Amino acid sequence: MTKVVMVTGGSGGIGAATARLAADAGYAVCLSYVENAAAAERVVADIASAGGRALARRADVGVEADVVALFRACDETFGPLSALVNSAGIVARQGRLEDFDAARLERVLRANVVGSMLCAREAVRRMSTRRGGAGGAIVNVSSKASVLGSPGEFVDYAASKGAIDTFTIGLAKEVAADGIRVNAVRPGLIDTDIHAASGEPGRVARLKDSVPMRREGSAEEVARAILWLLSNESSYTTGSFLDVAGGR
Ligand code: NAP
């Protein structure tokens, strides 16, 4: 039976690379986007032209009805879900906590934390052997920021990833006996469009020399770690973190 993976944020950087690599590995891929339909459809077209199967749907992961509809669309198109990659995520503009308002904090936490939890809930409902599923794997895209804290840049974003780390540990234990493994990757400085959203498109160039390996990472390098955590190669690994951060 074909394995089916849901990749949230599959229109952008790490999610798009993961969608492409998963298709290469034989998964049917359902990917979500929130604004950039054209980028999502490009990923779908690339996968189709390489002989794979993919579907893109608009869904704001912070909106419960969108998430429910997204997973239903995946069920209807590809059948039983085997895996989830929670890659959708945002940063807000760089600054200091003293200047952040509640609307900003809620936006970051809703997309990064509530969104990942809602998607994981939908995946668990489908994959749990307690509920008639066949088991599966979840990979949360955290960040090295959860450890570093991102002072002066975006402590709210870093804290949202701290929540993802704790969620990964708890959910991994909660569903371990139900055939579901839950792990996280913690990317470091990865060359994607997310940095422009922080208000500094040149952030990667500014910081790359501070990385022990003296360079930024690529979305594909993160995607390879994600694919390993999804695969049976990591069959005894759950509640774990794989840093893809060049030693940062
Ligand atoms: P990106 O290129 O900006 O891609 C972000 C993706 O998330 C896009 O597909 C975007 O959709 C989607 N998205 C944003 N808000 C969403 C929402 N509310 N609902 C659904 N989808 C939403 O960023 P990236 O660097 O690949 O980031 C992917 C993940 O890696 C994020 O969780 C990020 O925190 C994490 N990460 C990145 C780095 C880095 O240096 N790049 C480092 C550590 C961790 P649209 O295209 O439609 O806008």
Side-chain angles (χ1 to χ4, degrees):
M1 204 162 63
T2 312
K3 295 171 291 178
V4 179
V5 63
M6 169 71 72
V7 182
T8 68
S11 52
I14 292 168
T18 301
R20 289 191 169 96
L21 222 56
D24 286 349
Y27 288 87
V29 181
C30 185
L31 58 96
S32 78
Y33 63 94
V34 68
E35 277 174 5
N36 202 341
E41 290 304 339
R42 259 197 312 278
V43 177
V44 170
D46 288 351
I47 289 173
S49 66
R53 292 201 299 157
L55 165 81
R57 278 283 179 279
R58 190 200 168 277
D60 183 336
V61 292
V63 175
E64 187 168 23
D66 281 14
V67 172
V68 169
L70 171 69
F71 279 78
R72 284 215 183 110
C74 187
D75 296 339
E76 284 160 13
T77 308
F78 295 132
L81 191 73
S82 332
L84 164 68
V85 179
N86 268 320
S87 190
I90 56 169
V91 291
R93 288 184 77 82
Q94 291 175 12
R96 295 171 61 89
L97 178 69
E98 57 223 66
D99 299 318
F100 298 169
D101 62 15
R104 170 208 166 106
L105 298 176
E106 281 167 9
R107 192 161 55 85
V108 170
L109 293 169
R110 175 162 289 280
N112 295 0
V113 182
V114 177
S116 295
M117 289 184 179
L118 286 174
C119 291
R121 181 195 73 189
E122 292 303 306
V124 168
R125 285 179 177 172
R126 286 161 173 77
M127 301 187 312
S128 171
T129 55
R130 282 156 57 98
R131 302 172 68 105
I138 297 174
V139 176
N140 293 320
V141 182
S142 174
S143 171
K144 198 67 196 189
S146 73
V147 178
L148 299 171
S150 306
E153 292 200 313
F154 22 68
V155 292
D156 50 354
Y157 169 83
S160 78
K161 296 301 186 176
I164 290 301
D165 288 1
T166 306
F167 173 57
T168 300
I169 294 166
L171 185 64
K173 290 176 178 170
E174 189 168 296
V175 299
D178 308 331
I180 303 174
R181 296 181 302 106
V182 186
N183 292 288
V185 291
R186 282 194 292 227
L189 191 68
I190 310 300
D191 190 17
T192 72
D193 291 343
I194 205 170
H195 305 283
S198 78
E200 188 188 0
R203 182 170 180 266
V204 170
R206 173 173 63 85
L207 289 175
K208 68 178 185 188
D209 287 340
S210 68
V211 176
M213 286 179 74
R214 300 284 186 271
R215 69 168 177 89
E216 72 276 37
S218 70
E220 290 71 20
E221 287 176 303
V222 181
R224 284 200 287 271
I226 292 171
L227 262 291
W228 182 75
L229 287 169
L230 291 181
S231 77
N232 273 337
E233 297 298 308
S234 61
S235 53
Y236 199 53
T237 301
T238 198
S240 288
F241 300 90
L242 191 41
D243 289 3
V244 189
R248 204 170 183 219

